[in-house]
Amino acid sequence: HFLNKVCTHTADLDYKEIKIYPGNYDFWKKSSELSAAQRLDKNKKIEGRVKELEDFVRRFSANASKSKQATSRKKLIEKLSPEELPVSSRKSPYISFSPVSKCGTDVVKVKQVSHSVEGELVLNNVSFTINKNEKVAIIGDNSITKTTLLQILSGEITPDKGEVEWGDSVQFTSFPKDNTKFFDTGATLLEWLTGYSETNEIQEVRGFLGRMLFSGDDVKKVVSVLSGGEKARAMFSKMMVTSANTLIFDEPTDHLDLESISSLNDGLSAYSECIIFTSHDYELLNTVANRIIEVSPKGYFDQRTSFSEYMESEIVAKKRLSLK
């Protein structure tokens, strides 16, 4: 979103060269993908033509009446050669969540929840019900308020007042802002993820890690020494392997590069069940969420709408003043 709003030109450093595109990020993305698709299509057509010529040569090279045609086609085969496509230095993970079952109508009910952190009230009498297929963005100026609400939803902490009631058919998995406790172990990445897999099939686990760009000896890394970005990708693989039907994310784009953020955006947009998340990424908020719940120590405000419509609405703006 930022690049699209600001950039007039995009310099793409890839394939050991730099190429300038006269446009913003979306223009570069569409143009570069179209160019790559055209080169691939051209190669496929050349390969198909070569195969046709080779079939003719095999069939008629020993036929005296068609020997000249066969020879001509041999020479044409020598002239035709697919373009050697360069290998991109850009690596994108493949983030895709597949729920093993569907949620019921009511996913979770939050009933009059209030909570204080170190004596300061951060949640004040919050109540809402999230239904199936809803993708809810939790927003607000106070990051502690948002994180506390997600911690209460995921069962990490118990609210001072009120309760949270999950639907019987709901299986949720979460991506916390602080994932330290998940990596406080001497296990390798392969051992770590296998512990969360129901099947314990090594090849299946390797597949999930491969989608997150962990291949070869990468799976032998001890998880406690992974970088912030690697830990984030490991958490995505953990969430994918569980096949849950409700996903909870607290600032999932922290530590991620642009390719990973884009892949996450695509994965969440395509997800068919319920998502509850916080983020500072405008594109993620605006393309994924279909409901906005804004929370503050003074209360909350709930609206079924997109993020951009929520922020641009004059009616919403007046109501939001009560949360300041």
Side-chain angles (χ1 to χ4, degrees), residues 124-142:
N124 184 18
N125 199 32
V126 176
S127 296
F128 56 80
T129 297
I130 294 176
N131 303 313
K132 66 179 181 179
N133 306 129
E134 287 192 321
K135 297 179 179 180
V136 183
I138 307 296
I139 69 170
D141 295 335
N142 191 319

Side-chain angles (χ1 to χ4, degrees), residues 181-196:
K181 67 178 183 180
F182 290 95
F183 298 98
D184 187 17
T185 171
T188 66
L189 192 51
L190 184 59
E191 293 168 340
W192 179 83
L193 188 58
T194 301
Y196 294 105

Side-chain angles (χ1 to χ4, degrees), residues 234-247:
M235 288 298 294
F236 292 141
S237 65
K238 171 186 172 294
M239 296 179 76
M240 289 190 293
V241 82
T242 60
S243 300
N245 55 21
T246 296
L247 309 177

Side-chain angles (χ1 to χ4, degrees), residues 277-305:
F277 71 105
T278 70
S279 179
H280 287 109
D281 189 293
Y282 181 95
E283 194 77 10
L284 193 70
L285 288 167
N286 200 44
T287 58
V288 173
N290 55 27
R291 180 177 175 184
I292 309 297
I293 298 178
E294 184 166 358
V295 289
S296 85
K298 292 187 176 182
Y300 70 100
F301 182 60
D302 185 358
Q303 190 87 359
R304 285 178 171 82
T305 183

Side-chain angles (χ1 to χ4, degrees), residues 66-84:
K66 293 189 176 183
S67 61
K68 287 186 178 181
Q69 295 180 45
T71 301
S72 175
R73 281 165 172 73
K74 281 183 181 179
K75 291 179 180 179
L76 186 54
I77 289 172
E78 292 173 1
K79 293 180 181 179
L80 286 173
S81 60
E83 177 187 356
E84 186 176 344

Side-chain angles (χ1 to χ4, degrees), residues 10 18 107 143 158 165 174 190 205 233 273 275 301:
T10 302
I18 190 165
V107 174
S143 61
T158 302
E165 183 181 311
S174 63
L190 184 59
V205 174
R233 286 188 277 118
E273 294 300 314
I275 302 173
F301 182 60

